[in-house]
Amino acid sequence: MTPRSFLLTPQLAEYVRASSDPLDEVMADLVRETAELAARGEVSATMQIAPEQGVLMRLLTTALGARTAIEIGTFTGFSALCIARGLPADGSLLCLDRDEQVTAVARRYWARAGLADRIELRLGDALPSLRSLPAEPTFDLAFVDADKTGYAAYVAELHPRLRPNGVVLLDNTLRDGRVLDPRDEDDRALAELNAALAADPRWETALLPLADGLTLLRKR
Ligand SMILES: C[S@@+](CC[C@H](N)C(=O)[O-])C[C@H]1O[C@@H](n2cnc3c(N)ncnc32)[C@H](O)[C@@H]1O
């Protein structure tokens, strides 16, 4: 099953997709292959972002004029493909993930899309990888979609590495609605982070009820 916005019925999710730009052939094939891997129990079925979110992220990357981007949590590479598609020819995307097996799928699709030279994948725990980058404004855009209890530290480490007006996108900030009634530490981590960000004057914050909740942070 393809992931979808949880607040929409399946019919409305179909309508939303049909009323937006379609996925290109490589993106659609990657969504299909990931769904097949999930159906065989080889990867988790809930990891990949929804197609409508990917289309938005590609549009945002281009509209923001982003040239340098970073992603934390890459999996089979769909969100990275969407960001990289929105970058200019001399743009770059740094992907951080610790899973060599799933990111091998990602590398295959990036090569097929002709984007392999625009994307660098660093394998390992994301927080030390992020901390090893110079603490100076480097990135125009960041996407965070890894371990939920790590988000607060990722946001803290991204702040000095983001250019002024740079944007961070945080995935799963509604936790299927459970931020209202957290049931586990991942839910609690996101509920606490959402409250902290809404009160943090360093960021302009908008939480969109798209997919599983997508928060946009603009560095003031
Ligand atoms: C939800 S999936 C990312 C989905 C991806 N954005 C997409 O649209 O296909 C989360 C990914 O984060 C990675 N991950 C989780 N915790 C991590 C950590 N501490 N360091 C590095 N990678 C991590 C997992 O290996 C997994 O591939």
Side-chain angles (χ1 to χ4, degrees):
M1 193 185 91
T2 305
R4 68 178 170 88
S5 295
F6 80 96
L7 291 165
L8 300 180
T9 61
Q11 291 79 5
L12 261 178
E14 269 315 306
Y15 180 82
V16 165
R17 283 170 203 173
S19 307
S20 305
D21 256 22
L23 300 183
D24 63 43
E25 194 185 319
V26 185
M27 288 172 170
D29 284 352
L30 174 52
V31 169
R32 200 172 306 118
E33 177 168 347
T34 305
E36 285 165 8
L37 290 170
R40 293 202 298 271
E42 294 174 33
V43 301
S44 163
T46 58
M47 291 273 200
Q48 191 174 65
I49 61 165
E52 57 269 31
Q53 182 176 337
V55 168
L56 172 73
M57 284 172 47
R58 179 179 57 190
L59 183 156
L60 269 181
T61 304
T62 308
L64 291 169
R67 302 174 72 84
T68 49
I70 181 167
E71 173 177 89
I72 303 174
T74 293
F75 189 52
T76 57
F78 177 61
S79 50
L81 189 53
C82 297
I83 294 170
R85 277 273 195 242
L87 291 170
D90 63 348
S92 65
L93 169 64
L94 175 62
C95 290
L96 308 181
D97 201 293
R98 62 185 173 199
D99 189 328
E100 191 166 1
Q101 212 175 333
V102 286
T103 54
V105 178
R107 287 188 199 272
R108 191 153 42 79
Y109 278 88
W110 299 340
R112 199 182 132 193
L115 293 167
D117 60 341
R118 228 173 278 185
I119 307 176
E120 180 193 345
L121 172 66
R122 280 194 204 168
L123 287 170
D125 194 9
L127 194 54
S129 298
L130 182 54
R131 285 186 173 143
S132 74
L133 301 173
E136 55 197 39
T138 308
F139 297 106
D140 303 308
L141 180 70
F143 177 53
V144 180
D145 188 18
D147 48 322
K148 307 308 158 195
T149 53
Y151 274 33
Y154 297 139
V155 170
E157 293 294 335
L158 283 170
H159 189 271
R161 293 169 175 84
L162 215 65
R163 296 212 170 97
N165 282 324
V167 170
V168 180
L169 305 174
L170 301 175
D171 200 35
N172 306 112
T173 49
L174 288 177
R175 301 285 304 154
D176 237 340
R178 294 188 305 277
V179 280
L180 292 179
D181 183 16
R183 292 184 206 156
D184 62 21
E185 59 174 358
D186 288 352
D187 297 346
R188 266 187 296 282
L190 264 300
E192 284 166 18
L193 181 62
N194 288 340
L197 289 172
D200 189 334
R202 298 173 306 156
W203 299 106
E204 182 179 8
T205 302
L207 199 173
L208 306 182
L210 171 81
D212 190 27
L214 181 69
T215 293
L216 277 66
L217 304 173
R218 182 184 67 83
K219 181 175 172 177
R220 290 189 201 272

